[in-house]
Amino acid sequence: MTMPIANAEVLVSNPGRNFVTLRITTDDGFVGLGDATLNGRELAVAAYLSEHLAPLLIGRDAHLIEDTWQYLYRGAYWRRGPVTMAAIAAVDTALWDIKAKVAGLPLYQLLGGRSRSGLLVYGHASGMDLHELYDSIREQLAEGYRAIRVQTGVPGLASVYGVASSANASVGDGGDRRYDYEPARRSAVPVEESWDTRAYLRHVPTVLEAVRNEFGPELPLLHDAHHRLTPIQAAKLGKAVEPYDLFWLEDVTPAENQAALRRVREHTTTPLAIGEVFNTIWDYRELFEEQLIDYVRSAVTHAGGITGLRRILDYAAIYQIKSGVHGPTDVSPVGLAAAIHLGIAIPNFGIQEYMRHSPATDELFRPGYTFADGMLTPGEAPGLGVDYDDAVGQAHPYQAAYLPVNRLLDGTVHDW
Ligand code: GCO
Ligand code: MG
């Protein structure tokens, strides 16, 4: 029984931030969605999909998920890279969505069924100073989060990754405070921020110590260094924060150089998470085989879809490495739903990032997953459980946006 694909549409919309969504429709009317959002580079993936992949999909059998993955990956000749892998991810996710709808089952059932009752998630707290940070942590706890990422301002720096300033804080429709933590600004050129690693390294351990003392030993705390450190600086930070028992320290170095993590690992027992900018299993090979990390940060959206990420996580499992799937607001509800279905099924689930989309984004995608008591659950609708509302999408057209560029105080371009 084949199920030919009739249509593959690339939908680009901006309900407050840009999202690229692939919608595949079969001849007999089944519809699947895939997320292809690459923050700040959205139209590159949209063009890859509409110009190069969509024409290949028409008439193909929607049931052939693995074959299509291999056909698009090997068939391109040019391998890997965030644009290619986000495009393949969108096709793969949409095909899984369709297969589950045909089966009449929520997608996680096709991935092996439930391995747990829900996904523990972490929320996001930040403050320019301790007072703001404590308030933000209390808000997160009040919303039910049971694990919290802590990001802090650094004295002398006007703005820092992950810290909401009053300039980019906004009030959500429900009256609650919402922050956009990866401020891809709607502007013609990127905003520039400045950075001082020594000031950061002096300050962060004092903040984590204060937070640990204020909130007690139980609360899982996470921190993201956002690729800014050298291996030896990262080792120093990991060692300095050991007494505060972090759940993980994320992206300590720009991890193109996997071997850099050896240096970090030999100096600290602080758990390490990495990989939100990776896109294939090859990016993890040394990290896994030498057991240099503890958590995999890739998103379904950026690592070749459910097929790509599941393969990475199976490989991780043999080294006791767990999932910590990327879930910022630039992963759309389609990408997040895919992560939730995968996360509830896999044996080596660790934690799921959850930043909460704006009400406008949820109106566009109408996700069926639910957040309660610090846990996400996928819902029981067939497929991914996400719909795309064309009228809402058309009302919010694409707007050019860039992530910030980071410079050291002397003007040198640094990792953001
Ligand atoms: C995280 C990430 C994000 C990224 C963003 C870039 O840990 O969630 O670091 O905040 O900065 O996804 O687009
Ligand atoms: Mg991160």
Side-chain angles (χ1 to χ4, degrees), residues 122 149 161 224-227 250-251 276 297 326 353:
Y122 69 91
R149 188 184 83 167
Y161 161 77
D224 190 347
H226 228 246
H227 325 273
E250 176 183 347
D251 282 342
E276 67 185 41
R297 290 287 288 140
H326 196 207
E353 180 177 19

Side-chain angles (χ1 to χ4, degrees), residues 46-377:
Y48 193 108
L49 281 166
S50 59
E51 303 301 314
H52 303 295
L53 302 197
L56 305 180
L57 295 174
I58 310 305
R60 271 186 86 78
D61 181 1
H63 275 309
L64 302 181
I65 297 179
E66 182 65 44
D67 182 72
T68 301
W69 197 98
Q70 299 294 339
Y71 181 76
L72 298 180
Y73 180 81
R74 294 173 198 268
Y77 183 65
W78 309 107
R79 295 184 184 208
R80 309 164 62 185
V83 175
T84 301
M85 297 313 289
I88 293 176
V91 176
D92 182 80
T93 307
L95 295 183
W96 276 107
D97 190 16
I98 289 173
K99 197 183 278 294
K101 284 178 180 164
V102 172
L105 294 169
L107 176 56
Y108 72 85
Q109 295 290 13
L110 273 58
L111 302 174
R114 262 175 208 273
S115 292
R116 58 195 52 78
S117 56
L119 280 68
L120 174 71
V121 303
Y122 69 91
H124 301 75
S126 72
M128 284 305 280
D129 57 28
L130 270 186
H131 176 74
E132 265 183 39
L133 180 57
Y134 287 1
D135 280 356
S136 173
I137 294 174
R138 289 197 180 97
E139 272 173 36
Q140 293 287 304
L141 292 172
E143 288 179 23
Y145 289 96
R146 300 190 203 167
I148 296 181
R149 188 184 83 167
V150 170
Q151 301 298 123
T152 172
V154 174
L157 297 181
S159 59
V160 178
Y161 161 77
V163 182
S165 66
S166 36
N168 65 12
S170 62
V171 175
D173 292 3
D176 53 333
R177 282 206 295 158
R178 282 178 193 281
Y179 298 118
D180 196 347
Y181 286 101
E182 60 295 330
R185 309 251 168 82
R186 265 61 63 187
S187 59
V189 292
V191 166
E192 300 206 352
E193 296 182 345
S194 51
W195 180 248
D196 177 351
T197 305
R198 275 172 56 77
Y200 166 81
L201 287 175
R202 277 196 306 274
H203 190 61
V204 163
T206 68
V207 170
L208 292 172
E209 179 182 20
V211 169
R212 183 51 86 204
N213 290 338
E214 178 74 14
F215 293 92
E218 291 290 333
L219 182 65
L221 298 174
L222 301 83
H223 178 71
D224 190 347
H226 228 246
H227 325 273
R228 292 169 184 206
L229 309 176
T230 65
I232 207 67
Q233 289 168 339
K236 186 177 173 181
L237 178 62
K239 206 165 159 178
V241 301
E242 268 170 29
Y244 319 124
D245 190 26
L246 292 190
F247 185 95
W248 79 36
L249 189 57
E250 176 183 347
D251 282 342
V252 282
T253 62
E256 289 100 317
N257 178 12
Q258 298 180 33
L261 271 294
R262 274 186 219 141
R263 200 75 333 113
V264 186
R265 198 62 150 176
E266 72 196 12
H267 290 289
T268 181
T269 56
T270 295
L272 301 172
I274 224 154
E276 67 185 41
V277 301
F278 292 178
N279 43 74
T280 70
I281 199 162
W282 300 100
D283 299 319
Y284 285 104
R285 194 166 65 93
E286 284 173 72
L287 298 179
F288 287 174
E289 290 177 1
E290 297 184 37
Q291 294 185 263
L292 302 179
I293 60 167
D294 303 280
Y295 295 93
V296 168
R297 290 287 288 140
S298 289
V300 169
T301 309
H302 301 130
I306 287 167
T307 300
L309 186 56
R310 188 170 63 168
R311 201 166 280 139
I312 291 171
L313 292 172
D314 281 343
Y315 182 21
I318 63 174
Y319 299 103
Q320 294 175 285
I321 296 168
K322 295 187 174 185
S323 71
V325 173
H326 196 207
T329 41
D330 48 292
V331 165
S332 87
V334 177
L336 182 62
I340 299 170
H341 284 278
L342 186 60
I344 206 146
I346 56 173
N348 54 333
F349 173 77
I351 199 165
Q352 171 66 47
E353 180 177 19
Y354 185 43
M355 219 177 245
R356 277 174 67 184
H357 290 103
S358 68
T361 298
D362 284 346
E363 198 197 333
L364 173 62
F365 291 98
R366 295 193 247 125
Y369 48 76
T370 21
F371 172 70
D373 302 326
M375 313 278 274
L376 274 167
T377 42

